[in-house]
Amino acid sequence: LAIKLLIFGNRGQLATCIKRHSLASRFDIVALGRQEFDLTSRGDLKEVISSIQPELVINTAAFTDVEGAEEARWNCLDVNSQAARHIGELCQQIKIPHIYFSSDYVFNGNKGSPYVETDRPNPINLYGFSKLMGEDAVRETGGVVLRTAWLFSSHENSFTNRILQAAQKHPLLKIVADQVGNPTCADSLAQITLEMSERILSGEDFASLYHVAGNEAATWAELAREAIASAAEAEPSLTLASVQEIDSAQWNYKAPRPHDSRLDTALLKDRFPNVDLSWRASVRRSAQDRSFIGLA
Ligand SMILES: NC(=O)c1ccc[n+]([C@@H]2O[C@H](COP(=O)([O-])OP(=O)(O)OC[C@H]3O[C@@H](n4cnc5c(N)ncnc54)[C@H](OP(=O)(O)O)[C@@H]3O)[C@@H](O)[C@H]2O)c1
């Protein structure tokens, strides 16, 4: 019998990957985006969830524009924290599990080594603060938090997709090289989420916070270079930009970024020993897909 999942964030990057990976498995997915149900509206979310009758809720919906969040503060808090709490409370009421996604940006980046789940968050921008509030709400209502970082995929919202589009239009791209994190393949995160959903529904306990991030740290410039090199190898006819490394200060960010937000994933690997989180291999593999390169 198919497992019925409700996903919020329908057309977003991660939801798109989850839907793609669920095709080959025994899931029956209902996915809602802003068009179907705006989480900042006062619409009746309880009614929506009860009419769908999911066995588990996956909440990928988020206000993810880190720069924009500094200005649209209330909207960002509404989606990332308030709605997360509301979804959590409703899931708790009807006794179904739910999964929420948080970010490496809950940390200030000053630790100097990879963050573990028990490290104390201390966000330095509004987006990070809103995700931390969301985490707290989800854990208080019995949900699972997957804290991830630097997601990439063939989705148009993805960093690699935007870089590869720009690399076909300009000879030189200036990319920040003084921030370190763990690029994470959104398809790998999607697979882990689906496997975790199945295991939760079979009675396994996942309390309540796991880091899910790519192996091996990198800077944005390194991730861009890897994407460009992989695209050049896959499509030798393309003329692609080279990368010039710059400092964050030259970018003039509205929202400060943590300089070193590496995440330790030992806890996850303990529960998912066969997990493949090699982001370089994923970039190489993804470049075989024309939509990843921005050609389809
Ligand atoms: N992207 C990253 O690098 C990154 C890093 C760390 C953590 N995360 C977290 O991972 C999760 C997935 O991120 P993502 O990259 O998939 O984000 P995304 O591509 O920006 O997708 C988020 C989706 O949320 C939905 N949404 C936004 N506002 C909404 C509203 N008011 N009502 C209903 N739905 C709304 C939209 O779905 P529709 O388009 O269907 O309306 C949007 O596409 C998020 O929790 C994010 O904070 C992401």
Side-chain angles (χ1 to χ4, degrees):
L1 212 63
I3 297 173
K4 193 155 194 186
L5 301 181
L6 169 59
I7 301 180
F8 289 103
N10 189 14
R11 292 165 206 83
Q13 170 172 219
L14 180 57
T16 303
C17 295
I18 295 176
K19 286 187 290 181
R20 187 162 55 233
H21 287 284
S22 69
L23 289 177
S25 54
R26 53 188 198 99
F27 294 103
D28 170 11
I29 305 250
V30 177
L32 304 177
R34 196 185 325 214
Q35 269 172 33
E36 294 80 29
F37 187 89
D38 186 334
L39 289 166
T40 63
S41 73
R42 299 290 154 238
D44 194 346
L45 187 58
K46 186 175 186 174
E47 169 62 28
V48 170
I49 297 182
S50 356
S51 67
I52 293 168
Q53 293 197 307
E55 287 164 74
L56 183 145
V57 172
I58 298 176
N59 179 16
T60 74
F63 186 109
T64 51
D65 174 2
V66 176
E67 287 290 277
E70 297 296 316
E71 269 152 25
R73 292 175 158 238
W74 294 113
N75 194 6
C76 174
L77 286 165
D78 218 357
V79 183
N80 294 352
S81 322
Q82 290 282 107
R85 178 171 293 279
H86 196 187
I87 291 170
E89 285 170 353
L90 292 172
C91 289
Q92 194 173 37
Q93 265 175 36
I94 55 173
K95 298 191 171 51
I96 60 167
H98 76 288
I99 300 177
Y100 171 84
F101 300 86
S102 185
S103 162
D104 55 330
Y105 282 13
V106 298
F107 293 115
N108 65 13
N110 295 336
K111 183 181 178 188
S113 59
Y115 286 97
V116 293
E117 285 80 350
T118 46
D119 283 327
R120 199 191 168 90
N122 188 357
I124 53 172
N125 57 41
L126 201 279
Y127 169 77
F129 177 72
S130 72
K131 296 305 293 187
L132 179 58
M133 303 260 292
E135 282 188 6
D136 289 347
V138 169
R139 296 178 76 185
E140 280 164 28
T141 53
V144 178
V145 175
L146 300 183
R147 212 185 255 153
T148 190
W150 300 31
L151 289 181
F152 67 85
S153 69
S154 56
H155 193 277
E156 63 201 14
N157 282 0
S158 152
F159 172 79
T160 44
N161 201 268
R162 281 183 276 127
I163 288 295
L164 290 170
Q165 301 265 10
Q168 290 169 59
K169 293 191 194 118
H170 308 284
L172 187 72
L173 300 180
K174 295 183 179 182
I175 317 269
V176 170
D178 63 354
Q179 290 168 31
V180 187
N182 297 91
T184 308
C185 173
D187 286 290
S188 306
L189 175 58
Q191 282 169 313
I192 290 166
T193 306
L194 286 168
E195 183 183 333
M196 185 180 274
S197 301
E198 270 193 289
R199 287 167 58 178
I200 290 173
L201 290 169
S202 311
E204 210 174 312
D205 184 26
F206 286 95
S208 59
L209 167 67
Y210 297 85
H211 288 172
V212 185
N215 282 347
E216 195 191 333
T219 66
W220 291 111
E222 282 170 324
L223 174 55
R225 269 207 201 92
E226 190 72 38
I228 291 173
S230 304
E233 221 173 275
E235 288 286 338
S237 61
L238 290 177
T239 307
L240 295 169
S242 42
V243 169
Q244 183 189 332
E245 298 195 349
I246 59 166
D247 289 341
S248 309
Q250 286 172 264
W251 196 260
N252 244 332
Y253 287 119
K254 283 194 206 104
R257 307 297 207 268
H259 278 288
D260 177 0
S261 56
R262 286 172 292 156
L263 297 178
D264 179 284
T265 53
L267 207 54
L268 179 87
K269 286 175 184 151
D270 191 42
R271 301 295 295 272
F272 292 79
N274 300 322
V275 77
D276 175 12
L277 286 166
S278 160
W279 67 265
R280 282 187 198 276
S282 298
V283 169
R284 296 266 156 188
R285 225 179 8 255
S286 305
Q288 301 303 319
D289 170 359
R290 288 174 67 80
S291 56
F292 183 82
I293 301 178
L295 291 175

